[in-house]
Amino acid sequence: MHDSTQTELVREILEILRRTAIHYGLWYAEAERQLGTADAHHAEMEAGDRLQAILLGRLSKILGMGVTEDGLPQGLVDLDVDTLQTLRDGMATNWLAADGVWFQAIENRISMHDAKRVNDTCWTKFSPYEALRIKSLLELPEFGGLPALQTALAHRIYARVNPWEIVEDREHSFVFRMKSCRVQTARTRKGLAEYPCKSGGLVEYRTFAHAIDPRIQTECVACPPDTHPEDWVCAWRFTVA
């Protein structure tokens, strides 16, 4: 049995992690509001890299956890590929859970309308950030067109959560389809109607594609509450002149 002091310390550690995450997010949100997306993104790249190195360095000293020459946790690097893939996908699902609990908290406290309004606004911030982050990490060209967008879509967190496919792949356009959706599947399982996510999707996919290449145009083929076939939930057509 652990004594109360140990339990209290564990809870305090988790609380510090929680507040750190909130504070870090507020820094990015306010930087974007005051300085614009581009400057906020570049500042976050510097701040995030420095913070990661600081955190891992401190944890390695406290816990005796090794760090590789590349600055990665040795304990994670030593895990087998299957375990790492499972961990990666689990972390991606946790990201979706974080999105969901916020939505439900606002819906339960106020209304679905307000939850959708906050949700859609969040996507105007997160989607271009994720695109720019992927663009930087993969060193995608500034005007990479549809090939760059296809690469970036495959590296979104969502790509590890829901099955998807690219169809109608042509020279100047392609269609991205979400074959199933964890959110909609859960609602169906509970006997609920599909969540009308089209308004959020329009913001999400347009801002993501625009951040990869501003020449790319986005069109919704169908997304709830639109009707759709059983083999996919939503579909988006991307076109570049």
Side-chain angles (χ1 to χ4, degrees):
M1 296 288 292
H2 296 293
D3 61 32
S4 59
T5 302
Q6 287 175 286
T7 301
E8 290 169 3
L9 283 170
V10 170
R11 287 176 176 163
E12 188 174 356
I13 290 167
L14 294 176
E15 182 63 23
I16 291 171
L17 289 173
R18 180 171 176 168
R19 293 184 208 173
T20 301
I22 289 292
H23 197 184
Y24 188 89
L26 289 172
W27 260 101
Y28 182 83
E30 194 59 23
E32 187 193 45
R33 188 183 73 82
Q34 295 194 32
L35 308 175
T37 300
D39 284 339
H41 170 66
H42 288 299
E44 194 282 328
M45 286 179 62
E46 177 183 343
D49 287 347
R50 290 180 61 192
L51 179 60
Q52 180 173 289
I54 291 169
L55 291 177
L56 290 176
R58 185 162 288 117
L59 287 174
S60 68
K61 291 179 182 178
I62 296 171
L63 301 177
M65 178 183 65
V67 178
T68 69
E69 293 182 359
D70 296 332
L72 300 176
Q74 188 67 57
L76 288 180
V77 174
D78 290 341
L79 293 175
D80 61 86
V81 172
D82 289 342
T83 301
L84 286 170
Q85 289 177 337
T86 301
L87 178 60
R88 177 201 61 193
D89 295 347
M91 295 296 290
T93 305
N94 283 346
W95 163 79
L96 185 62
D99 180 74
V101 294
W102 260 109
F103 190 100
Q104 292 167 16
I106 295 175
E107 180 183 12
N108 294 338
R109 185 173 180 84
I110 308 175
S111 70
M112 177 180 278
H113 171 76
D114 288 281
K116 278 180 58 63
R117 186 161 54 87
V118 174
N119 175 68
D120 294 358
T121 301
C122 283
W123 276 113
T124 69
K125 310 297 183 182
F126 180 75
S127 199
Y129 165 77
E130 186 177 33
L132 291 171
R133 184 68 180 152
I134 293 169
K135 192 173 182 178
S136 298
L137 289 171
L138 301 183
E139 299 183 345
L140 298 176
E142 188 62 30
F143 295 97
L146 298 180
L149 179 58
Q150 288 191 12
T151 299
L153 286 169
H155 285 80
R156 295 187 68 203
I157 300 179
Y158 247 135
R160 308 302 180 189
V161 176
N162 294 331
W164 54 274
E165 63 183 353
I166 290 176
V167 297
E168 300 179 29
D169 192 359
R170 298 166 183 153
E171 182 179 359
H172 298 296
S173 70
F174 70 87
V175 172
F176 174 90
R177 293 199 305 214
M178 200 73 80
K179 300 172 68 175
S180 68
C181 172
R182 292 179 69 97
V183 173
Q184 303 294 13
T185 299
R187 290 181 63 86
T188 300
R189 188 168 56 246
K190 296 176 182 178
L192 301 173
E194 287 187 325
Y195 168 65
C197 55
K198 185 174 182 177
S199 61
L202 286 168
V203 176
E204 172 189 348
Y205 286 99
R206 282 175 178 167
T207 56
F208 187 90
H210 189 267
I212 296 298
D213 188 330
R215 301 172 302 168
I216 298 175
Q217 301 295 313
T218 304
E219 173 194 354
C220 179
V221 178
C223 182
D226 299 337
T227 57
H228 58 83
E230 292 186 0
D231 58 341
W232 55 266
V233 180
C234 68
W236 308 86
R237 178 175 286 105
F238 299 101
T239 306
V240 66

